[in-house]
Every structure is written in structure tokens, then in C-alpha cells.
Amino acid sequence: MGKLAESLDKAVEGSFTRPIPKSAGARMRYLVKQLKGTRPVADLLGISQRTVERYVKDQLKRPRKSLATRMEREVRKRWQPQVRTRAKKQAATTGGIVLDTRARFGFTAAPGTTDDARLRHITQALPPRYAARLFDAREEGAAEQRLRDIAAEGLQEIYFKDRGRRAQGLLVEFTDIDYIEIDL
């Protein structure tokens, strides 16, 4: 998973109304409930069904680090699906997103202009249509490059072209992301 995909997921997680379960047993019980059985959870986490049952009964309490990480990741993926859907819908219809990034931007522009890529720090609100495209692409499992292309198109239109008021022939390339944060 790339930086942009992770940032989209974190932005949606910021809208959660309750924290995810803390203990290994509570996390395991949640996964068992969501996947409707211990066998699917065991297959998902790469452990035995008996181990899952022991966590559910609180006979085991401290998973090894790799298992704890996998459990947390799988619980986060499934936690509060209605809240997650509502946040995405609001961003895609009315709110849009705020993209804060430091990355290398290059340009294809008219002759006589400098098109050398350089590192820039940009904080820009993107309208709902770009938020919708980003979330749709993320749901479809699009590659990181596809997400970057959508974000570059949004930044090109809103930030660099100022909604069509300048730099008509400009095409923006969004590469070498140092960091990126998205807020809903």
C-alpha cells in the first residue's frame, strides 16, 4: 500500500466515533463476529483455529508483534463501516478533502517556461469531485500511481491552473512524495 492510499484510509479513520478494541481478546472476538467463525479468522491471520479460540476465551492475552499488527490492521479495515461510508459520502458530495503534501512536481508547459521538477509543499482543498474519484479508485483497489494521477489532476486544476484562469496548457506530474496527509 502506498502513501496516498494510507493517507486516505487514515483520513476516514479520523471520523470514527469509538476507538477500536484494545485487547487481543476483544479484537479477536470482533473479527470472529465479523467473519462469522473462527476458521475464516484463522485463515485470514495465518494462525490455527485453536489459537483463535484461545484468544476469544482470553486464555491467550499477548500476541507476538507480527500477529498483533495483523489483528489491528484487519480490525481497522472493518471497524465502523457505516461511519466510514458516511464520511466518504460527505467528502465526495459536499465537503471535499484537504491535501497537505510535500512532493516533487514537474510540468509539461509552453516553450520558454521552466519545467524542471522541484520539491514543493502544498496544502490545498480539493473539491468533492476529486474526493469522490479518489475514494472510488481506492475502493476498486487501484494502484498507487492511479491515485497519484487523480490527485495530480486535482492539484493541477485547482492549485496550478487556478480553476482554469491561468496556465492553460500546463500538465502536472506528481512524483517522489515525501509525505502526504489528507483531511476530510
Side-chain angles (χ1 to χ4, degrees):
M1 186 179 342
K3 291 180 181 181
L4 190 54
E6 285 177 14
S7 186
L8 280 169
D9 291 343
K10 284 181 184 176
V12 172
E13 288 173 10
S15 63
F16 288 166
T17 57
R18 294 179 319 191
I20 68 168
K22 299 275 188 243
S23 72
R27 288 179 179 178
M28 199 64 79
R29 284 188 289 278
Y30 177 77
L31 288 172
V32 168
K33 183 178 179 183
Q34 290 297 306
L35 298 176
K36 298 176 176 40
T38 55
R39 171 53 56 199
V41 174
D43 293 340
L44 177 71
L45 297 175
I47 57 178
S48 72
Q49 186 174 359
R50 180 67 185 128
T51 302
V52 171
E53 292 166 357
R54 291 173 70 193
Y55 276 111
V56 167
K57 293 178 183 176
D58 282 327
Q59 292 173 344
L60 293 177
K61 295 184 188 268
R62 292 191 185 93
R64 63 187 183 279
K65 189 170 177 88
S66 62
L67 177 59
T69 304
R70 288 193 311 266
M71 279 178 17
E72 181 178 0
R73 184 183 65 236
E74 295 302 328
V75 169
R76 279 191 189 281
K77 274 189 205 175
R78 292 163 177 78
W79 190 248
Q80 293 190 324
Q82 292 173 335
V83 172
R84 186 183 300 265
T85 303
R86 191 176 332 127
K88 287 179 186 178
K89 183 178 179 185
Q90 182 179 359
T93 57
T94 58
I97 59 174
V98 176
L99 189 99
D100 180 30
T101 186
R102 187 172 56 225
R104 189 166 304 280
F105 289 91
F107 309 98
T108 304
T113 61
T114 178
D115 60 353
D116 294 335
R118 66 177 188 239
L119 202 60
R120 292 177 183 247
H121 177 249
I122 296 175
T123 301
Q124 181 65 49
L126 295 180
R129 68 178 181 270
Y130 291 107
R133 289 179 58 200
L134 281 168
F135 285 127
D136 289 344
R138 179 73 181 113
E139 289 294 318
E140 293 168 1
E144 178 74 6
Q145 187 57 47
R146 176 72 183 125
L147 295 174
R148 282 185 187 188
D149 291 344
I150 295 169
E153 186 180 327
L155 289 171
Q156 169 184 299
E157 181 65 28
I158 304 302
Y159 182 80
F160 292 102
K161 288 186 173 183
D162 194 20
R163 299 183 189 261
R165 287 180 263 210
R166 60 186 167 106
Q168 298 302 321
L170 185 73
L171 296 175
V172 174
E173 298 169 5
F174 185 32
T175 58
D176 298 336
I177 297 174
D178 186 23
Y179 82 91
I180 187 165
E181 287 184 27
I182 296 176
D183 290 323
L184 301 180

